[in-house]
Amino acid sequence: MSVLIRNGRIVTAADDYRADVFVDGETVALIGRGLAVDADRIIDAAGRLVLPGGVDPHTHMEMPFGGTESSDTFETGTRAAAFGGTTTIVDFAIQSRGASTLAGLETWHAKAAGQAAIDYAFHMIVTDLPDRRVPELRRLADEGVTSYKLFMAYPGALLSDDATIFRAMRKAGEDGTLVCMHAENGVVIDELVKAALAAGHVEPKYHALTRPTRLEAEGAHRALAIAEIARAPVYIVHLSCHDALTELRRAQARGVMAHAETCPQYLLLDLEAYDEPGFGGAKYVMTPPLREKWNQDELWRGLRGKALDVISTDHCPFCLREQKELGRGDFSRIPNGGPGVEHRMSLIFHHGVNAGRIDLNRFVDLTSTTPARIFGMFPRKGTIAVGSDADIVIFDPEREVTISSNDPRTHHMNVDYSAYEGFRVRGYPETVLSRGRVVVDNGEYVGRRGDGRFIRRGPYGGAHAPLAAARGQAVDPGSGRPGAGGG
């Protein structure tokens, strides 16, 4: 199918201009003013922004946690992402402790294949890494999984010791791949949790009070130092506070290949949310927790100054009824995570661009281009250019919407609440194309389950070092990954 998008204002991370876009099949074929071509469908984008589809590099669909599983499937979660203007996610496959990472990858392929509405890729959560299995990381990279996540939190379940972290980082540095770090001192946090429960503090707000910002900063400092010694890039996930941001800036000033993301919840929500009446504070039990409000201004400064590279969601929803209820009477048993994949683009457009905190190009950079680049998908994803995948969002900058879990026009995630209930935003996706197919048409879903494909990602693509070239690999300019081949 061919599509001609006329009269729009095309905005990428670098450009802002008016032109037509002709999509032939799955890719962008022509860009120019007044294109005179035949197309199966013509979309008039006058008065609209024409944006690259969003890339959310941090989601958890169907993730087991605390005796339950995140409530969005790959079908429901990716459909909600499409409504919000996100056309690619990078989810997390999980290695069972003691088992092969390759077996974990097979499990997640089985979950997502034939279900996803948009394109998807995987990181691998590594829970243990003895010397004999280190070569698996190279095999994962050959399968298009070129980033790995390790945890400094959750002792006894996901936590990796420093030796494991160093081993993984050193291998990543050799291979041109990337380690993503959940940076918190989970061992000390567990002691604080035990003390709080022993004192009778069981309410949801104690999830936040037992995870102070200094322990996130300590984890970030340690992760950055290990990466520096391993001579490897590192990506700090869901950075939430000024203390951790300070450690990041210091490491970057030393020349560490350090990247980090933050999320809308840390930019827009704060510690007072835990005071919601009844058990309502459980909705905001996520890790790291929400912080004191003053941290928000510091994080926005970090985004403007490019210390922070990406805005992701850490989308990991659990229903308030039944799932979050598992922790009533013991905050440590509340499943950690919240919903957000549907509203990232509009929230950041409204509170970033409309509020004058970032400009349009930086908005695209943070929500699409830089995550695609860092995680080995650029320029196939993350931009509008001839030869790139036709992942395109027709975005109405003037449409005003009130986000509510009770409104089927604004809530498609499979969860019984919204973390942004009552938030009013100006600027909302209207029509969304995924690889040339219209999947959301004037606010109506017209895609199909299974439209999305697995994306085999290339090597780490951060601005600090083109490591693929250092390894002597040719990079296919049309795909952003080494060699030629299908997606």
Side-chain angles (χ1 to χ4, degrees):
M1 183 175 180
S2 59
V3 179
L4 178 61
I5 303 169
R6 284 182 171 167
N7 305 319
R9 177 184 172 188
I10 300 170
V11 182
T12 68
D15 300 306
D16 185 343
Y17 60 96
R18 297 186 183 278
D20 303 339
V21 180
F22 177 61
V23 174
D24 190 10
E26 297 189 348
T27 60
V28 175
L30 292 170
I31 301 174
R33 293 189 176 182
L35 292 180
V37 293
D38 292 327
D40 297 315
R41 176 166 179 186
I42 297 175
I43 298 173
D44 186 358
R48 307 293 189 263
L49 303 177
V50 179
L51 308 175
V55 177
D56 189 342
H58 192 154
T59 67
H60 297 282
M61 311 298 178
E62 303 181 40
M63 178 182 174
F65 190 95
T68 187
E69 186 175 89
S70 58
S71 58
D72 259 322
T73 66
F74 276 91
E75 179 185 3
T76 63
T78 57
R79 186 170 62 228
F83 272 107
T86 289
T87 54
T88 306
I89 63 167
V90 190
D91 207 83
F92 289 84
I94 303 176
Q95 170 214 17
S96 298
R97 188 173 290 274
S100 167
T101 56
L102 297 167
L105 178 59
E106 288 182 7
T107 298
W108 256 257
H109 273 308
K111 290 174 184 269
Q115 302 297 315
I118 57 173
D119 288 352
Y120 61 94
F122 292 130
H123 311 282
M124 174 58 65
I125 290 177
V126 176
T127 57
D128 66 340
L129 191 67
D131 287 335
R132 70 180 184 278
R133 283 215 308 275
V134 170
E136 287 186 5
L137 299 185
R138 178 67 255 163
R139 292 176 64 189
L140 286 170
D142 292 340
E143 294 295 320
V145 178
T146 53
S147 50
Y148 326 105
K149 183 179 181 184
L150 286 85
F151 286 78
M152 292 175 159
Y154 307 120
L158 295 171
L159 182 141
S160 294
D161 61 27
D162 289 352
T164 299
I165 294 168
F166 176 73
R167 200 175 298 128
M169 286 185 174
R170 184 167 56 182
K171 181 61 172 169
E174 293 170 357
D175 288 347
T177 55
L178 179 63
V179 169
C180 304
M181 287 302 309
H182 179 125
E184 287 185 301
N185 191 318
V187 174
V188 176
I189 286 168
D190 268 18
E191 292 299 309
L192 293 174
V193 169
K194 286 192 289 186
L197 292 173
H201 301 310
V202 299
E203 299 86 358
K205 69 179 179 180
Y206 283 93
H207 171 77
L209 298 179
T210 55
R211 304 183 97 92
T213 60
R214 288 306 305 154
L215 293 183
E216 183 182 344
E218 189 278 334
H221 173 83
R222 190 157 32 105
L224 292 160
I226 294 171
E228 185 174 11
I229 299 304
R231 302 184 68 183
V234 64
Y235 181 96
I236 306 296
V237 298
H238 48 47
L239 190 146
S240 73
C241 62
H242 178 248
D243 282 350
L245 179 59
T246 297
E247 297 295 340
L248 176 71
R249 284 178 168 137
R250 288 172 177 165
Q252 290 169 338
R254 296 197 306 271
V256 180
M257 293 182 286
H259 302 282
E261 66 182 22
T262 191
C263 308
Q265 55 266 34
Y266 306 120
L267 296 167
L268 303 175
L269 303 174
D270 64 73
L271 197 61
E272 292 184 0
Y274 295 108
D275 294 327
E276 195 167 301
F279 193 59
K283 294 185 289 190
Y284 310 100
V285 169
M286 56 191 68
T287 306
L290 304 180
R291 303 302 192 181
E292 291 180 303
K293 189 175 181 63
W294 65 267
N295 287 277
Q296 295 173 3
D297 286 340
E298 298 299 328
L299 294 176
W300 283 110
R301 289 191 186 99
L303 292 167
R304 281 196 302 275
K306 301 189 177 181
L308 294 168
D309 299 279
V310 171
I311 300 175
S312 70
T313 60
D314 193 9
H315 175 80
C316 190
F318 297 96
C319 291
L320 182 61
R321 296 182 292 276
E322 298 181 3
Q323 291 184 302
K324 295 279 189 178
E325 283 282 346
L326 293 170
R328 187 180 284 273
D330 181 350
F331 70 88
S332 70
R333 296 183 180 275
I334 300 172
N336 287 199
V341 74
E342 184 168 0
H343 298 121
R344 176 183 65 132
M345 302 287 280
S346 289
L347 287 167
I348 300 307
F349 183 86
H350 180 81
H351 292 278
V353 177
N354 290 345
R357 292 184 170 108
I358 55 175
D359 63 23
L360 266 172
N361 299 112
R362 185 65 176 148
F363 165 73
V364 172
D365 201 18
L366 290 164
T367 59
S368 181
T369 307
T370 291
R373 190 188 303 277
I374 289 174
F375 291 108
M377 295 181 284
F378 185 86
R380 179 178 180 181
K381 306 291 186 183
T383 193
I384 298 175
V386 172
S388 296
D389 282 358
D391 297 343
I392 298 174
V393 179
I394 314 301
F395 191 92
D396 184 350
E398 299 301 327
R399 182 183 173 193
E400 295 191 6
V401 169
T402 299
I403 297 170
S404 174
S405 59
N406 298 314
D407 187 344
R409 295 170 299 178
T410 68
H411 188 90
H412 301 90
M413 298 172 289
N414 186 37
V415 64
D416 59 358
Y417 71 94
S418 171
Y420 307 99
E421 188 72 34
F423 273 55
R424 189 158 185 82
V425 295
R426 178 165 55 86
Y428 212 74
E430 186 174 84
T431 296
V432 179
L433 285 73
S434 172
R435 276 185 295 104
R437 289 184 177 178
V438 176
V439 293
V440 176
D441 192 353
N442 289 309
E444 297 293 327
Y445 182 68
V446 295
R448 298 176 301 184
R449 183 178 68 178
D451 275 351
R453 290 182 187 166
F454 173 65
I455 301 298
R456 296 173 60 90
R457 294 185 291 116
Y460 160 69
H464 295 291
L467 295 187
R471 294 178 57 231
Q473 284 186 300
V475 176
D476 174 8
S479 68
R481 61 184 189 277

